[in-house]
Amino acid sequence: MAKVNLLKRFALSKTRSLQHVLRRNVMTSSQIPLGVSDGILKNCDVTQVQLMKEECILIDENDKKIGSGSKKHCHLLENINKGLLHRAFSVFLFNQQGQLLLQQRSDAKITFPDNFTNTCCSHPLYTGPELEEGNAIGVRRAAQRKLNHELGISPEQVSVDDFKYLTRIQYMAGNQPEDGIWGESEIDYILFIQKDVDVKINTNEVKSYRYVSQDQLRDFLATSDSKGHLITPWFRLITDRFLYKWWSKLDHLESEMDHKTIYKLS
């Protein structure tokens, strides 16, 4: 991966608006848990700061495990600029009418708050079940866990066998709104699933959700800037390069599966 100094690319922006801060259950210095304690997190949401203790899977550019690091450690730009890379996944869930479930990330999120994105985006953890790699079973277990956590889609509705693992992408991006502090640098497993599900959002994770057709998504993305909608960079990259082609083949995705290539997107 090219060594891109994201700290130079993303200048420190103004402090988030008072209205945004008041919407969150912010954490005081005395509440910050051991292992993540510093001033960076002082005004962040209590629950989201606790999640910063989770241990992600550190990898090299070939997606080989090399260790673990806290979610906070993995998402600091100062570490990303040193080449730190972790494993992640992006779920694209479609209903039986072929519409894609989008979510808008909560204002409480530390990274990419208020951004619209695909159904669910997160990380497998450095735990036994989610470290297993055969047929991406650990990643699929993590996806099942996070669909339940974020959207209330229970494991009874979606089994690990329902996920179709298509391929992997690698990308790097700074936070938005820009803050010069946080970012992403991941190898991202792309998981597709088509099922009708009941959604009950966790409002600390998800602000809103909607189902869209291909035409509706194209229009939504085309007008996002003028309407002030933030879109996560990984969702834009995947949409620009792959999504519509895959979407058109929901009934026969096997021909699109590529488990050998890691596509570097920028």
Side-chain angles (χ1 to χ4, degrees), residues 99-159:
Q99 297 170 313
L100 173 63
L101 177 59
L102 301 184
Q103 69 153 277
Q104 182 183 19
R105 292 163 66 89
S106 167
D107 293 322
K109 300 288 283 185
I110 294 170
T111 57
F112 304 93
D114 202 40
N115 280 232
F116 286 88
T117 194
N118 50 287
T119 311
C120 180
C121 326
S122 192
H123 317 89
L125 302 180
Y126 198 82
T127 61
E130 295 185 13
L131 280 166
E132 289 188 42
E133 295 183 335
N135 199 23
I137 182 62
V139 170
R140 290 186 286 126
R141 287 170 178 153
Q144 183 190 52
R145 171 177 58 83
K146 289 300 291 185
L147 282 178
N148 189 29
H149 175 226
E150 295 186 7
L151 295 158
I153 301 172
S154 66
E156 289 74 26
Q157 295 185 76
V158 174
S159 76

